[in-house]
Amino acid sequence: MSLSDLSLKAHAPNFSAPEFRAALGMFATGVTIVTARTAEGEFVGLTANSFNSVSLNPPLVLWSLARAAASMPAFSTGSHYAINILAADQKELAKRFATKGVDRFADVAFLEGVGGAPLLAGAAATFECFNRSRYSEGDHVIFVGEVERCSHRVGASPLLYHGGKFYTEHPL
């Protein structure tokens, strides 16, 4: 049998959306807050765990955002954003930036990075990115950022997310 004999379409899933979400939750991830500044000068930011490295040369990273997100216009049209990898003591910040209808930046210490994107004080690492490309897939848009600057706090413990709960590292 050759590839031309096979259907080149995915089979319909045999699981529910909650089952899929539960299975995805078994993958432990770091927690980030992605930030930007709109053309009107407003700060936007959201908690995301869909961060990953793509390439060392050129330095590229990716993250994804739901198409329905209120911040989609700011991220899809802006030239720069920052990815702030949260430290273990920033759990409350992660929750705040995941909550709708609150002033996410109230009393939050930050510096403005490249293109005005907020760099959150105390983050374990920051990546200041040029908004290089976007790929629309399913109900999300995948953003690929070209890293123009990065920094990290030596010895900082990361904030982790697994199975719907926050954790931090424990060496084995």
Side-chain angles (χ1 to χ4, degrees):
M1 183 180 292
S2 70
L3 263 181
S4 61
D5 297 333
L6 300 174
S7 170
L8 296 178
K9 291 174 60 177
H11 298 284
N14 67 349
F15 50 83
S16 68
E19 289 172 315
F20 186 52
R21 181 179 284 274
L24 289 172
M26 294 312 295
F27 184 66
T29 66
V31 182
T32 71
I33 293 178
V34 185
T35 58
R37 185 175 196 148
T38 68
E40 297 76 35
E42 295 178 42
F43 295 119
V44 294
L46 59 107
T47 300
N49 67 345
S50 59
F51 170 76
N52 207 343
S53 62
V54 175
S55 170
L56 292 176
N57 188 18
L60 302 175
V61 295
L62 68 78
W63 65 286
S64 64
L65 179 63
R67 283 190 205 195
S71 57
M72 180 58 78
F75 286 110
S76 63
T77 61
S79 65
H80 288 81
Y81 54 82
I83 299 171
N84 300 270
I85 297 179
L86 299 187
D89 62 352
Q90 294 180 305
K91 178 176 124 180
E92 294 308 314
L93 201 57
K95 288 180 177 181
R96 179 194 298 193
F97 275 78
T99 302
K100 294 179 182 177
V102 300
D103 181 356
R104 294 176 175 174
F105 287 93
D107 301 319
V108 173
F110 65 87
L111 299 172
E112 287 188 44
V114 173
L119 306 176
L120 303 179
T126 59
F127 298 89
E128 299 177 64
C129 302
F130 170 72
N131 198 353
R132 181 178 170 128
S133 52
R134 291 161 297 289
Y135 301 93
S136 188
E137 290 292 339
D139 59 1
H140 277 64
V141 173
I142 301 164
F143 288 83
V144 176
E146 186 163 348
V147 180
E148 295 179 334
R149 294 183 192 163
C150 68
S151 65
H152 71 281
R153 280 195 307 135
V154 175
S157 292
L159 182 62
L160 304 176
Y161 195 72
H162 174 262
K165 296 178 184 171
F166 290 102
Y167 294 86
T168 191
E169 66 183 344
H170 296 287
L172 298 177

